[in-house]
Amino acid sequence: MDVIIDVFHQYSRREGDRDTLTKKELKMLIDKQLANYLKHVKNKATIDQIMKDLDVNKDAQINFGEMMLLVTRVTCATHEHLHEVEDHQHQHQHQHQHHH
């Protein structure tokens, strides 16, 4: 978990409050750190959408707790995606076992 905190601070201290992300910082963080994960998310939300979703207290800044909502959501989506991939692989394996 420390990694996430480090990453968060790497971006949060760039502008504005050092413990929150502005929209620009959030976008940079997502582009750099979460791009691979977001590929698996079914509906690719725009940054504006993500920002609106996460900014619970409507201060146009994302604090660490709000950011964790995104990380959790993305992690769950990736987790589901991995299971889907595994399921497909298992199906293929079963088909190949019928050679005599």
Side-chain angles (χ1 to χ4, degrees):
M1 284 321 259
D2 290 352
V3 177
I4 296 176
I5 296 169
D6 285 345
V7 166
F8 180 82
H9 279 136
Q10 226 176 303
Y11 292 91
S12 67
R13 58 166 181 252
R14 291 182 186 210
E15 56 176 38
D17 190 319
R18 37 180 318 122
D19 276 326
T20 58
L21 297 170
T22 60
K23 191 198 285 189
K24 202 162 94 187
E25 290 169 335
L26 178 68
K27 183 174 171 14
M28 278 160 57
L29 188 151
I30 289 175
D31 286 347
K32 289 270 190 306
Q33 307 295 331
L34 295 178
N36 296 348
Y37 292 121
L38 286 177
K39 283 208 286 265
H40 303 313
V41 180
K42 299 277 188 292
N43 50 347
K44 296 200 177 61
T46 62
I47 297 289
D48 289 335
Q49 201 57 54
I50 292 173
M51 184 86 187
K52 218 187 343 209
D53 276 357
L54 296 183
D55 187 13
V56 181
N57 59 5
K58 304 276 175 271
D59 61 355
Q61 306 272 326
I62 301 303
N63 62 32
F64 188 72
E66 290 168 336
M67 158 75 185
M68 284 312 294
L69 296 173
L70 175 66
V71 171
T72 306
R73 202 177 300 166
V74 166
T75 307
C76 292
T78 306
H79 181 225
E80 279 168 28
H81 174 79
L82 291 177
H83 280 302
E84 284 169 17
V85 171
E86 277 170 16
D87 291 346
H88 291 315
Q89 283 167 351
H90 289 316
Q91 284 161 6
H92 292 313
Q93 282 163 3
H94 295 313
Q95 287 160 4
H96 295 307
Q97 284 162 2
H98 300 300
H99 298 301
H100 290 295

